[in-house]
């Protein structure tokens, strides 16, 4: 397959693999099973996990692109502007998806009769203001809207750094929804989930940045950009692995839980993570060196990006199994 074709199919791989895996996770894990009492309907059961998935992918395109651009690209050049435009588009998608997630969560919690009357609006308003889960998605949606404007407006390194910090902070409320406050080790589980979300966003977002800026990037600079990204990806890998281990240990509680559907889904994530780690070692040791020596590793580069996107996206997809906001 030609390098240009591989570059074009990257976003398609991202969406297709994520949807396939989330459908499998929902079906196998029972996240979309009809409830015997007060079921909100198939739109809420299937739509809510899909909306959360889009939130996670858009968060990666927002946070990961900004963080990676700060440490791999030069402000004032075209590729830096492309990175910020990509982050702005991702923030817009993040905003819409977060709003949809809040609305679908409202439908799932209250199962109201849909109408345009004042009672429905008042009930939705109370959900968004008075309930913690409603406030979380309201804050996330407002933060996404603000970041959409900011990422479009800024262009210097310092201002982009400030916006990147705000983008990372916008992911924190989602992490607070992933674990029950009544469970043991609540704070540890919540912190692990927040770090897991941020690490995955930086890792996946960096890949999206490479796809976005590759056409406008000087051929001679590509090896340096890939090498710098690989260092960021290594740090993100460690963060995702450690936080994921802590979260899994708290969530499993008993070894027998490994035989449950949750344990099977967890096994898929572990295998995917190990595969990505080995892949990262390979391309840092071999591909970057080849690119420096010959500059003719374009096809290998895009093949690697396509494969890593597929595997990393599968871990994002099976984490949204109808349970947490961004498990």
């Amino acid at each position: 397959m030609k390098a240009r074709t591989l570059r074009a199919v990257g976003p398609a791989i991202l969406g297709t693999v994520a949807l396939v895996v989330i459908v499998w996770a929902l079906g196998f894990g029972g996240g979309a099973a009809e409830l015997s009492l007060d079921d909100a309907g198939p739109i809420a059961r299937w739509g809510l996990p899909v909306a959360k998935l889009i939130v996670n992918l858009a968060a990666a395109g927002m946070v990961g692109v900004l963080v990676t651009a700060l440490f791999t690209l030069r402000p004032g050049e075209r590729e830096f502007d492309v990175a910020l435009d990509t982050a702005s588009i991702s923030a817009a998608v993040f905003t819409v998806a977060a709003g949809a997630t809040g609305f679908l969560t409202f439908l799932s919690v209250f199962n109201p009769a849909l109408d345009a009357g004042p009672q429905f609006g008042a009930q939705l308003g109370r959900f968004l203001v008075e309930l913690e889960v409603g406030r979380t998605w309201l804050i996330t949606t407002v933060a996404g809207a603000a970041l959409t404007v900011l990422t479009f407006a800024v262009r210097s390194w310092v201002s982009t750094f400030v916006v990147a910090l705000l983008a990372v902070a916008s992911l924190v409320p989602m992490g607070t929804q992933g674990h029950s406050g009544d469970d043991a080790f609540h704070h540890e589980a919540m912190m692990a989930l927040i770090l897991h979300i941020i690490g995955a966003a930086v890792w996946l977002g960096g890949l999206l940045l490479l796809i976005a800026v590759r056409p406008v990037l000087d051929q001679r600079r590509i090896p340096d950009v890939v090498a710098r990204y690989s260092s960021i990806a290594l740090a993100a890998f460690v963060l995702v692995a450690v936080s994921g281990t802590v979260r899994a240990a708290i969530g499993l509680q008993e070894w027998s839980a490994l035989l449950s559907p949750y344990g099977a889904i967890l096994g898929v994530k572990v295998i995917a993570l190990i595969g990505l780690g080995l892949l990262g070692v390979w391309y840092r040791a071999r591909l970057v060196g080849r690119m420096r020596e010959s500059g003719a590793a374009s096809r290998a580069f895009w093949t690697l990006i396509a494969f890593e996107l597929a595997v990393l996206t599968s871990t994002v997809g099976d984490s949204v199994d109808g349970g947490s906001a961004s498990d």
Side-chain angles (χ1 to χ4, degrees), residues 25-34 261 321:
L26 286 170
F28 185 74
E34 184 176 354
D321 57 8

Side-chain angles (χ1 to χ4, degrees), residues 62-63 66 143 147 150 159-171:
M62 177 178 66
V63 174
L66 288 172
L147 288 166
L150 291 173
S159 59
T160 301
F161 178 75
V162 173
V163 172
L165 291 178
L166 295 175
V168 171
S170 72
L171 304 185

Side-chain angles (χ1 to χ4, degrees), residues 256-279:
S256 59
L258 289 172
L259 301 177
S260 67
Y262 173 79
I265 294 173
L266 180 63
V268 172
K269 295 174 69 174
V270 170
I271 293 172
L273 186 62
I274 293 173
L276 283 173
L278 295 175
L279 185 65

Side-chain angles (χ1 to χ4, degrees), residues 17-29:
V17 172
L19 286 175
V20 169
V21 173
I22 193 174
V23 169
W24 170 81
L26 286 170
F28 185 74

Side-chain angles (χ1 to χ4, degrees), residues 9-22 53 57 208 309-310 313 317:
V9 301
I13 291 173
L14 182 69
T16 302
V17 172
L19 286 175
V20 169
V21 173
I22 193 174
L53 171 66
L57 295 179
L208 296 176
L309 265 179
T313 304

Side-chain angles (χ1 to χ4, degrees), residues 1 11 55 101 133 194 210 231 245:
M1 190 179 292
V55 168
T101 300
V133 63
I194 291 172
L210 294 179
S231 298
T245 300

